[in-house]
Amino acid sequence: MKDEKKNYMLEKQNYIRVRDRNRKIGLASMILLAIGLGLKYVDMADVGENFIWLGVVMVIYIFGSNMMARSAMSKYEKK
C-alpha cells in the first residue's frame, strides 16, 4: 500500500508540473494566435497565417500532453 501511495504522489507531482508548463505554453499560443489575427487584419495575411498555424499546432500539443499526463496518473488512482 505504501508503494502505491508513493507512486500516486509522484505521478500527481508530474501531472501538476506538466499542467503548469502547459499553461505557460498556452499563454504563448494565445499570443501567437492574436499576433496572427492582427497581421491578417492589417493585410499581411501570408505572415499572419504562419503565426495562426503555429498557435494551432501548439494548442494541439498542449491537449495531447495533458491527456497523456492524465492517463499516466489515472493508473495510480486512489482506491
Side-chain angles (χ1 to χ4, degrees):
M1 182 69 175
K2 194 164 191 135
D3 287 337
E4 290 177 11
K5 186 172 183 178
K6 181 179 177 183
N7 288 337
Y8 174 76
M9 293 301 291
L10 289 174
E11 285 298 323
K12 187 172 182 178
Q13 289 172 353
N14 287 338
Y15 172 71
I16 291 171
R17 191 175 310 121
V18 167
R19 187 188 64 197
D20 291 343
R21 183 192 69 208
N22 284 345
R23 283 184 181 164
K24 293 175 186 173
I25 294 172
L27 179 62
S29 174
M30 293 302 131
I31 291 171
L32 286 173
L33 286 170
I35 289 171
L37 290 173
L39 287 173
K40 282 188 74 137
Y41 182 73
V42 296
D43 292 332
M44 296 181 66
D46 53 343
V47 178
E49 286 182 15
N50 292 334
F51 278 101
I52 291 172
W53 279 109
L54 181 60
V56 168
V57 168
M58 288 174 70
V59 167
I60 292 170
Y61 167 78
I62 291 168
F63 180 73
S65 176
N66 279 341
M67 294 306 290
M68 289 189 324
R70 185 173 294 182
S71 69
M73 190 177 84
S74 69
K75 286 192 285 187
Y76 298 104
E77 193 72 30
K78 283 187 175 180
K79 296 176 183 165

